[in-house]
Amino acid sequence: MPRQLSRRALLAGLGGTALTACAGNPAPTTDSATDTAAAIPPADGPRVITLDTAELDSAMTLGITPVGAARAPADAGLPDYWPASRLAEITHVGEIGSPDGAVIRHLKPELILGNQTRDGAHFETLRRIAPTVLTPTTGHPWKANFQQHAQALGRQAAAEAVVGAYQRHAAAVAQQLASAGLSGHRISIVRFVANAPIRLYARQNFLATLLDDVRLARPDQQNAAQFAVEIPADQIARADGDHLFYAVYGDPDAAGATATLASPGWQALGAVRAHRAFPVNDRLWFQGIGYTGANAVLDELQRLLGA
């Protein structure tokens, strides 16, 4: 299980601000993950296996708890913005990108959902177990992928309600941000990933679509038509924005987060000096790709921006 950031590192990352808003980087409560979403009741549906977090969000949002799901390699469990009672019903079927065919076969699925980015190489094996639907990729086209998942699950009417609820929620958040004078503020999104460069998230990813939906802008360094810009720690000045949200995937030391958050370069960022740099839950913000995850991120975004 990845080691969590220490209190000292968290304080350093916040630039010494009070911990009332984001101490300990808590996962959102069940209510915060669902109270702005369409209320889709549990439904009878196929015995489905989900091979990535977007597919998991789609099935759960549509009222169908998978019989099995793959988890992120650096995490001990599935995204924790879902109620523990529902997650307890799901059998782990290996890591994302490395599904365990024997476990999947034992669960006798009627449908397998995934994407070609992670599991294109496993398609022939998977389709021999059960009908398998792989979207071309994940992340940025999450709204179109959700429609494919809904069709495969036979939940198109429920999907329509989910989309409508999200659109109303995003419009309300955008209005609140505008009323607070935050429209056009530049939002920096930073992810520390174990054994990899620091990622500045650009415009072709899940989070970028949410910021577009609520009419928030991006810093010049992140205003690019690509997934992310990778930088070494000594270029952390490129991560600045009016507000900054960051998360850690994997061990904080291996991700460079511990050292970077304590560095003079991080402390010199305008967002940090202004107490506008916030740690967020990686499993929600970066892995919660779907409508329930999106609603929860918008709730947290609005709260942290003070709108």
Side-chain angles (χ1 to χ4, degrees), residues 6-68:
S6 68
R7 179 179 176 83
R8 178 177 296 176
L10 179 59
L11 280 165
L14 288 168
T17 60
L19 297 178
T20 54
C22 43
N25 192 16
T29 64
T30 300
D31 287 342
S32 71
T34 58
D35 58 8
T36 50
I40 303 300
D44 292 331
R47 291 177 57 83
V48 63
I49 299 282
T50 59
L51 299 179
D52 205 343
T53 58
E55 291 76 23
L56 174 65
D57 190 289
S58 290
M60 298 277 272
T61 297
L62 292 169
I64 298 172
T65 300
V67 294

Side-chain angles (χ1 to χ4, degrees), residues 100-167:
D100 189 323
V103 175
I104 292 174
R105 190 175 292 105
H106 178 74
L107 290 171
K108 296 180 171 55
E110 298 167 322
L111 176 67
I112 299 171
L113 295 178
N115 59 80
Q116 293 178 23
T117 300
R118 311 292 194 200
D119 291 296
H122 307 130
F123 176 72
E124 290 300 324
T125 298
L126 294 168
R127 75 180 184 88
R128 293 190 186 100
I129 300 173
T132 297
V133 175
L134 302 182
T135 57
T137 187
T138 187
H140 186 247
W142 65 277
K143 294 176 183 178
N145 291 349
F146 175 75
Q147 296 297 335
Q148 287 190 252
H149 299 154
Q151 183 175 6
L153 293 165
R155 298 287 282 162
Q156 294 96 321
E160 184 176 347
V162 168
V163 172
Y166 170 78
Q167 291 173 340

Side-chain angles (χ1 to χ4, degrees), residues 153-195:
L153 293 165
R155 298 287 282 162
Q156 294 96 321
E160 184 176 347
V162 168
V163 172
Y166 170 78
Q167 291 173 340
R168 292 188 294 274
H169 182 205
V173 171
Q175 181 59 51
Q176 290 296 319
L177 294 174
S179 297
L182 293 165
S183 292
H185 275 220
R186 299 170 307 142
I187 306 300
S188 176
I189 303 293
V190 180
R191 194 185 196 196
F192 297 94
V193 178
N195 305 310

